[in-house]
Amino acid sequence: MARLVECVPNFSEGRNQATVQALVDAVASVTGVRVLSRAMDRDHHRSVLTFVGEPEAMIDAAFRAIRVATDLIDLRKHDGVHPCVGATDVVPFVPMRGTTMADCIRMAKRLGQRVGQELDIPVFLYERAATRPDHAALESVRRGGLEGLGFRLASDPDWSPDFGPARLHKTAGAIVIGARPPLIAYNVNLRSTDLTVARSIAKTIRQSSGGIPHLKAIGVELASRRMVQVAMNLTDYQVTPIHVAFEAVQAQAALHNVGIAGSEIIGLVPQAALVAAAVDALGLDHFDPAQLLETRIETAFSSEGAGQVKPTPPGPTDLRRLSVSQLLDAIAAATPIPAGGAVAALVGALAGALGTMAARLSRQYATEHRLQEVGRRLRDLLQADGEAYRTFIEAAKLTRKDPNRPTVLSSALHVATEIPLEIAERSAEAGVLLYAFSNKVKPPVGSDLKVGLLLAIAAGEAGLHTAKENLKVQPNQRLRQALSQRIHQVSQYLEDLRGLCYTPRLSQPGAKIKLAQASPGKVRKRNEWKSKSSITTSKKHSKLPRKSSRGKGSSGN
């Protein structure tokens, strides 16, 4: 990959292995994204993932994880010691190879807009992506915890979110998204159960109290380990290295007659940070990073032809790069991949392409842009469906005696259900966009638009069928409930689309079309659909009877 971005989201779940595995699987389901690490802590009741990939794929991966967290984590039941304001608490993007901080700021804003619109969660931008100085520091957003943020949302205009509603989500709270340089999460454990000691040390050493530069610190209790901890973030490890932070805690602990029980790094850490600590601890003179064995090996084999040392086995075929003939041959081959889900995604993408053509000819630029986005996502899902099925097959191969089998199989089934369900949601979104501007195109184009609408409905139905079949064998009841709600929503939406598609328009002035409020990707209100396509459906439309008695909807969370 020529361009890499790192993402290190923190989730308010550190005890349920199945939930954390579902978060990992959601990220891993996106083509081109690699999960590098996961960390869980029972006392903090928090998990941290680290993954990397190209910018576009990283936005999708982060959104998938946030949506799973919204479905599975109920912040009302959270009791961890770490400060938080959301089920997905914080999502930072960090520039790596071939990317800049400006790239990460744009990514944070795009992800924030999508989370606010599709998941109905208030989003605050922080660090380098912050739009207001008083929102830049993460601790400012967390001040007073969830209750404090909720109060500011309700009473202070300066604390309206950057995206989403000006109220907390019922179960998911809020979310903080941003862009920042690399950060090291480093904790030092004390041989004491006195929380006041940990808090006193943290207050003394942190920058905000006049202590060490680029160091944030809090004192917390680790009840399960019968000790207390000074939990730190090093925001610039080159100015304040790890060993400086450790020595500061050690010195302050000695003043309280408290010993050090050990220390820990949460997530990943730059190699240079550990090298600096080792050089200081050992008193090495004139140390050159080129003396590192791993560095020298990597340098030796980075020249042309080094890949021949150990050939890499070929990975799955990228269906998006095949010609039409090659893709049809791949589908017709006597193999289980690609199959129904991939075909549904392909049909949905074709519907989006027809709509994009019509929007361009009709100069419906906002609709054109959104249809292009939907089409690109469906092309990615064309590939992701096969990869999800491969993962499920591997999980099913585990022996029944393997204690990890239930969790692994449930997570694999979750992804294998999530992908066709999103295919249905995106196809339905394409359908509503096509219908919304169908009365604004010339008659010759109208026929193509009708074909696109029929294809969108068919793709939506196909995706739903696959999702329902996979959901039947999902043992995790919470997952079944969350996914069943989304299936019900998109089913209602497709039902209304079918009614609109097969009923002729009437020409009475003032007639309106009323769609069931059950949008893809959680609930997207009807006026949001209209704003996406920059049109309204309030003229020369028939008021059709609705088969569903569903009233104004909610996200179901």
Side-chain angles (χ1 to χ4, degrees):
M1 298 179 186
R3 305 177 68 224
L4 282 181
V5 169
E6 178 191 39
C7 186
V8 194
N10 289 223
F11 301 95
S12 298
E13 175 56 69
R15 300 167 188 171
N16 190 317
Q17 289 278 0
T19 297
V20 175
Q21 184 62 48
L23 294 169
V24 172
D25 290 340
V27 171
S29 69
V30 177
T31 303
V33 173
R34 299 290 183 269
V35 179
L36 301 182
S37 83
R38 77 179 86 179
M40 294 175 60
D41 189 282
R42 182 176 185 82
D43 296 299
H44 285 249
H45 204 353
R46 193 172 185 83
S47 59
V48 180
L49 303 187
T50 304
F51 54 95
V52 297
E54 294 183 343
E56 288 297 324
M58 291 291 285
I59 294 174
D60 282 336
F63 180 80
R64 278 182 175 276
I66 293 168
R67 184 161 62 185
V68 169
T70 304
D71 286 342
L72 300 184
I73 300 173
D74 189 341
L75 208 59
R76 296 172 298 182
K77 303 175 182 178
H78 189 268
D79 61 353
V81 298
H82 199 290
C84 68
V85 293
T88 304
D89 188 49
V90 58
V91 181
F93 289 108
V94 182
M96 301 297 284
R97 186 174 66 200
T99 54
T100 64
M101 188 63 70
D103 295 325
C104 290
I105 292 171
R106 285 191 290 269
M107 292 172 64
K109 291 179 177 179
R110 286 181 57 190
L111 177 63
Q113 182 178 35
R114 187 175 176 187
V115 168
Q117 289 180 343
E118 297 189 25
L119 302 185
D120 208 31
I121 300 174
V123 177
F124 293 88
L125 297 175
Y126 88 115
E127 284 283 351
R128 303 294 178 86
T131 57
R132 304 172 192 175
D134 53 345
H135 294 188
L138 184 57
E139 56 268 29
S140 296
V141 183
R142 287 188 183 144
R143 180 167 46 87
L146 192 62
E147 184 178 350
L149 180 59
F151 176 78
R152 293 195 294 278
L153 274 170
S155 61
D156 189 347
D158 290 336
W159 276 91
S160 58
D162 292 284
F163 303 103
R167 52 172 172 73
L168 296 175
H169 188 281
K170 184 178 179 181
T171 60
I175 183 171
V176 189
I177 301 176
R180 61 164 175 74
L183 173 150
I184 298 174
Y186 178 60
N187 305 330
V188 177
N189 301 327
L190 307 179
R191 295 189 185 278
S192 171
T193 57
D194 190 346
L195 183 57
T196 59
V197 170
R199 287 176 172 172
S200 174
I201 294 173
K203 182 178 180 180
T204 300
I205 66 174
R206 63 188 174 220
Q207 179 179 349
S208 62
S209 300
I212 300 172
H214 302 287
L215 188 150
K216 300 179 180 182
I218 58 173
V220 298
E221 180 183 13
L222 306 181
S224 69
R225 288 181 264 182
R226 297 181 181 179
M227 61 179 63
V228 292
Q229 179 185 84
V230 180
M232 296 174 283
N233 281 343
L234 306 179
T235 58
D236 190 335
Y237 68 88
Q238 294 178 323
V239 175
T240 300
I242 292 177
H243 62 275
V244 170
F246 175 79
E247 290 166 0
V249 175
Q250 187 178 47
Q252 290 297 315
L255 296 178
H256 292 272
N257 296 316
V258 171
I260 302 297
S263 67
E264 60 189 19
I265 292 172
I266 306 301
L268 302 184
V269 59
Q271 178 177 279
L274 292 181
V275 169
V279 169
D280 178 81
L282 298 175
L284 296 178
D285 293 326
H286 311 298
F287 179 79
D288 185 346
Q291 291 177 259
L292 293 169
L293 174 62
E294 291 82 1
T295 301
R296 189 62 63 88
I297 291 174
E298 184 177 347
T299 302
F301 286 97
S302 63
S303 58
E304 186 177 356
Q308 297 176 1
V309 172
K310 185 177 180 181
T312 301
T317 301
D318 190 339
L319 301 176
R320 297 163 298 180
R321 300 185 182 278
L322 300 182
S323 67
V324 174
S325 296
Q326 290 172 328
L327 180 57
L328 293 176
D329 288 342
I331 294 170
T335 59
I337 305 171
V343 171
L346 174 61
V347 172
L350 289 171
L354 281 172
T356 301
M357 176 267 292
R360 284 173 174 167
L361 291 175
S362 307
R363 298 182 180 179
Q364 299 288 323
Y365 300 119
T367 305
E368 173 194 341
H369 176 71
R370 183 55 190 161
L371 281 169
Q372 283 182 306
E373 290 182 341
V374 171
R376 281 194 293 267
R377 182 61 192 148
L378 284 165
R379 288 198 294 272
D380 289 340
L381 293 170
L382 167 70
Q383 180 70 15
D385 180 74
E387 295 175 2
Y389 187 69
R390 286 188 185 90
T391 301
F392 171 71
I393 292 297
E394 291 301 315
K397 291 179 180 178
L398 295 175
T399 64
R400 295 189 179 276
K401 295 181 180 180
D402 190 327
N404 296 320
R405 188 178 191 274
T407 299
V408 174
L409 195 57
S410 173
S411 297
L413 274 169
H414 180 205
V415 177
T417 307
E418 176 84 32
I419 289 174
L421 179 53
E422 187 177 351
I423 291 171
E425 291 171 340
R426 296 301 178 193
S427 298
E429 181 178 356
V432 77
L433 290 169
L434 291 171
Y435 184 85
F437 78 102
S438 59
N439 64 333
K440 296 181 178 290
V441 301
K442 296 179 180 179
V445 181
S447 175
D448 296 315
L449 211 56
K450 183 64 173 285
V451 171
L453 181 55
L454 292 170
L455 290 177
I457 294 171
E461 290 289 353
L464 273 186
H465 171 75
T466 302
K468 290 176 181 177
E469 288 298 308
N470 291 344
L471 196 62
K472 289 178 182 179
V473 291
Q474 171 59 255
N476 188 319
Q477 293 300 317
R478 291 186 65 187
L479 274 175
R480 290 186 68 171
Q481 183 179 8
L483 293 171
S484 294
Q485 290 173 350
R486 287 171 58 196
I487 287 174
H488 177 68
Q489 290 168 356
V490 75
S491 295
Q492 286 192 319
Y493 212 82
L494 287 169
E495 182 180 349
D496 280 351
L497 273 177
R498 283 195 300 272
L500 294 171
C501 181
Y502 292 107
T503 304
R505 291 180 183 270
L506 300 180
S507 57
Q508 287 91 341
K512 296 181 180 179
I513 289 175
K514 192 174 183 181
L515 291 176
Q517 188 170 337
S519 66
K522 297 289 179 185
V523 172
R524 185 174 297 174
K525 297 179 179 63
R526 183 175 55 192
N527 61 352
E528 292 174 356
W529 285 107
K530 292 177 180 178
S531 67
K532 284 290 185 184
S533 56
S534 73
I535 54 92
T536 65
T537 56
S538 61
K539 296 181 180 180
K540 298 183 181 181
H541 290 182
S542 61
K543 188 170 183 179
L544 301 175
R546 291 179 57 180
K547 298 180 181 179
S548 171
S549 60
R550 180 181 175 93
K552 291 186 177 181
S554 66
S555 67
N557 288 321

